[in-house]
Amino acid sequence: MKEFRHFINGEYTASVNGKTFENRSPVDNSLIGMVHEAGQIEVDAAVKAAKQALKGPWGRMTAAQRTALLNKVADRINERFDEFLHAECLDTGKPHSIACHIDIPRGAANFKAFSETLSNHPTEGFRLDTPDGKGALNVGHRTPKGVIAVISPWNLPLLLMTWKVGPALACGNTVVVKPSEETPATTTLLGEVMNECGVPAGVFNVVHGFGPQSAGEFLTTHPLVDAITFTGETRTGEAIMKAASVGLRNISLECGGKNPGIVFADCDLEKAVEGTMRSAFVNCGQVCLGTERVYVERPIYDAFLKRMKEEVAKLKLGRPEDPEANFGPLVSLEHRDKVISYYQLAVEEGATVEIGGGIPDMGVDLNNGAWVEPTIWTGLKDDARVINEEIFGPCCHIRPFDTEEEVIALANDTHYGLAAAIWTENSAKAVRVAEQMETGLVWINSWFLRDLRTAFGGAKQSGIGREGGVHGLEFYTELKNICIKL
Ligand code: NAD
């Protein structure tokens, strides 16, 4: 049986008190292995190792040396691609066919993209006139922030973790990562890669466990942590913000969404259907950017709904290694309970279930897994809970609209503000509507088309701050102004 240990100061370590918890497969609920749970002692050891490493060879490296090392890490993940793929799919149940295009290659790419972008970014400089006529020069100088706590979720475990670890290390920080309790595998494996590539001990550390009263809380409240970067639910983000307020630590929060898709009658219908299918159902709907509310202009409403139902009927549920499968289970039975409770609530709130709505019969081998049917509803009122709360499952509600003003108001009528997708062949209208979306991200005639040089983050209750490209510099470094009197 597998055992997932902490990775502290370059070594795999067991919990001092021997405390472990189970890691089960969402495919059939079989036991994958046991995960060590960190208490205060392990978290303290990891944070102190990270603090110490700032003063060691890592702290003396040039940006170019760090870049070379991080490029090596990316290459090594790609060399061990199959191991990462297998580990990720075992933990999450997601199809290999998807993880081999998204999770693993993008997880590796995060180490390359950020080290190059950040180390090549120019610094600011201002010449100041002074009364003596000689003047002064102001030069911005960036230093690493220190020890960064990285708290990551389970939906894209490797990708969303390296999306933070990559820029944090590129800027010269050290990290302590607390991966989701549901998905410990790829973060643990990354420790081996760090050692193989010669990343100094203590630069990358991992502690396993849960949130409250466990590794997550112990890490975010540790006084030697200098900043916290988090991806997960909005409510958890609130708890982390409170923890960070002690000692005035900086935070970056990437939280939930209830994202709208807007389909105008002048769209390319097939493109809109293909994009909305992906945005609602890829990764079993467990993508923060996913579309759970779809608004379709009335003249094409019936045709769009019909095509979506046809495409949902074609989704192929199956084991991760099944090459035909493009739809896996949810991440856990606990998450399935949550999603199924919304499926029931939708009916209670008066929805018409257009397709799906329940638990599929997967046969004796798989029926203990966390499977749910991909689902489309229509007919809900705009104030229904199903329309307003993030479900994070493979489901969406489709509703007709008549005017641009109406759909802008509907799309913005939410506490969340992560992403929106707009489908139209009229580019002036697309930009006009995009500019009015109260979100951090808007896609026009696409979805999840990511350029790592761009800003990423949410408005309203979807987050605080921006990461990506040079925006990471703001969070992962301290900007000091040096004033030189001439
Ligand atoms: P979650 O908030 O339950 O957990 C995320 C991480 O926080 C886990 O590692 C968990 O153990 C830890 N945690 C929980 N409570 C904590 C506490 N009190 N202190 C410290 N750590 C704590 O989220 P999840 O269920 O793993 O992920 C799904 C959520 O993540 C969804 O809401 C989704 O929208 C969001 N998400 C957002 C983005 C984005 O970029 N905005 C990306 C992916 C997922």
Side-chain angles (χ1 to χ4, degrees):
M1 189 188 308
K2 285 193 166 48
E3 205 184 326
F4 300 97
R5 294 178 174 226
H6 316 296
F7 183 74
I8 300 174
N9 208 20
E11 285 176 10
Y12 287 99
T13 56
S15 284
V16 177
N17 61 6
K19 209 168 162 191
T20 56
F21 60 94
E22 289 183 344
N23 177 25
R24 288 191 171 269
S25 162
V27 172
D28 56 9
N29 203 32
S30 58
L31 190 61
I32 297 172
M34 301 303 292
V35 189
H36 285 259
E37 183 180 354
Q40 298 269 20
I41 294 174
E42 295 81 3
V43 170
D44 190 54
V47 174
K48 285 186 174 147
K51 199 83 184 169
Q52 192 59 32
L54 290 164
K55 301 193 192 103
W58 178 252
R60 293 188 290 275
M61 271 184 203
T62 61
Q65 286 169 324
R66 285 199 304 268
T67 302
L69 210 46
L70 296 177
N71 282 341
K72 228 166 136 181
V73 170
D75 291 341
R76 190 67 188 138
I77 295 173
N78 284 326
E79 281 163 22
R80 298 183 65 175
F81 193 95
D82 288 346
E83 282 172 82
F84 276 93
L85 180 67
H86 183 72
E88 199 75 313
C89 294
L90 200 60
D91 261 0
T92 57
K94 64 177 81 187
H96 284 198
S97 60
I98 290 173
C100 76
H101 291 300
I102 301 177
D103 299 68
I104 312 306
R106 291 203 198 177
N110 283 335
F111 283 106
K112 280 204 172 149
F114 292 115
S115 52
E116 275 151 28
T117 309
L118 297 178
S119 56
N120 289 329
H121 192 66
T123 190
E124 69 177 21
F126 294 99
R127 193 179 194 292
L128 181 72
D129 288 335
T130 54
D132 65 6
K134 292 183 181 162
L137 288 179
N138 286 290
V139 181
H141 176 69
R142 290 188 183 272
T143 49
K145 207 153 246 172
V147 176
I148 309 286
V150 176
I151 311 277
S152 50
W154 45 255
N155 60 327
L156 299 159
L158 180 72
L159 188 162
L160 289 176
M161 182 263 300
T162 62
W163 154 256
K164 293 170 179 302
V165 172
L169 298 189
C171 291
N173 300 284
T174 57
V175 297
V176 180
V177 182
K178 209 299 281 170
S180 169
E181 52 275 30
E182 306 286 358
T183 52
T186 46
T187 308
T188 309
L189 194 52
L190 188 57
E192 283 182 25
V193 168
M194 293 287 174
N195 280 350
E196 285 165 357
C197 295
V199 175
V203 170
F204 173 80
N205 305 276
V206 180
V207 288
H208 292 295
F210 302 87
Q213 285 301 301
S214 183
E217 184 179 321
F218 300 148
L219 179 58
T220 51
T221 53
H222 197 292
L224 293 182
V225 163
D226 297 295
I228 304 164
T229 175
F230 165 76
T231 301
E233 284 186 16
T234 297
R235 257 180 304 149
T236 313
E238 288 172 350
I240 286 177
M241 202 168 170
K242 272 194 202 141
S245 72
V246 178
L248 288 187
R249 276 93 46 77
N250 206 351
I251 45 165
S252 169
L253 303 179
E254 296 179 345
C255 300
K258 186 75 182 178
N259 310 300
I262 300 177
V263 184
F264 285 102
D266 57 5
C267 71
D268 177 324
L269 185 67
E270 283 312 306
K271 257 197 244 165
V273 168
E274 189 273 329
T276 310
M277 278 299 297
R278 273 195 305 117
S279 72
F281 299 109
V282 78
N283 210 36
C284 203
Q286 303 165 118
V287 181
C288 54
L289 307 162
T291 305
E292 290 189 359
R293 300 180 290 143
V294 185
Y295 301 104
V296 185
E297 205 168 5
R298 202 171 300 271
I300 62 158
Y301 174 77
D302 289 338
F304 181 87
L305 180 59
K306 178 169 171 285
R307 284 290 298 115
M308 286 289 289
K309 284 163 67 174
E310 284 167 3
E311 290 303 311
V312 167
K314 287 187 209 157
L315 288 171
K316 173 88 170 59
L317 283 63
R319 286 182 176 278
E321 55 281 4
D322 176 350
E324 302 285 302
N326 57 8
F327 191 91
L330 290 167
V331 75
S332 65
L333 291 173
E334 190 189 346
H335 188 51
R336 183 174 73 169
D337 287 346
K338 177 185 158 187
V339 172
I340 286 294
S341 77
Y342 277 102
Y343 281 20
Q344 285 158 358
L345 181 64
V347 174
E348 284 160 29
E349 291 189 312
T352 301
V353 181
E354 297 286 348
I355 191 163
I359 294 174
D361 181 2
M362 299 297 294
V364 276
D365 288 353
L366 302 185
N367 269 347
N368 288 332
W371 302 89
V372 288
E373 289 177 338
T375 296
I376 295 177
W377 302 291
T378 57
L380 282 170
K381 295 208 178 92
D382 296 321
D383 62 358
R385 280 181 53 203
V386 167
I387 305 271
N388 289 284
E389 297 173 13
E390 183 187 46
I391 301 170
F392 219 55
C395 50
C396 64
H397 179 259
I398 307 186
R399 175 208 195 280
F401 72 88
D402 294 295
T403 68
E404 198 177 306
E405 294 68 32
E406 178 195 11
V407 79
I408 290 168
L410 286 167
N412 287 335
D413 185 17
T414 168
H415 296 304
Y416 290 112
L418 189 54
I422 300 169
W423 301 90
T424 168
E425 293 297 297
N426 179 335
S427 50
K429 178 162 68 184
V431 172
R432 188 168 66 230
V433 175
E435 286 177 351
Q436 292 176 77
M437 290 295 102
E438 296 169 357
T439 57
L441 304 150
V442 182
W443 277 285
I444 296 170
N445 294 329
S446 66
W447 175 79
F448 207 168
L449 184 57
R450 290 281 294 120
D451 179 334
L452 295 176
R453 294 168 299 183
T454 62
F456 183 94
K460 294 156 100 178
Q461 292 184 21
S462 288
I464 293 184
R466 295 289 180 273
E467 296 194 38
V470 297
H471 305 281
L473 278 177
E474 292 303 325
F475 179 71
Y476 291 109
T477 63
E478 202 64 66
L479 177 59
K480 178 187 331 193
N481 185 65
I482 301 179
C483 179
I484 310 153
K485 177 73 180 72
L486 300 175

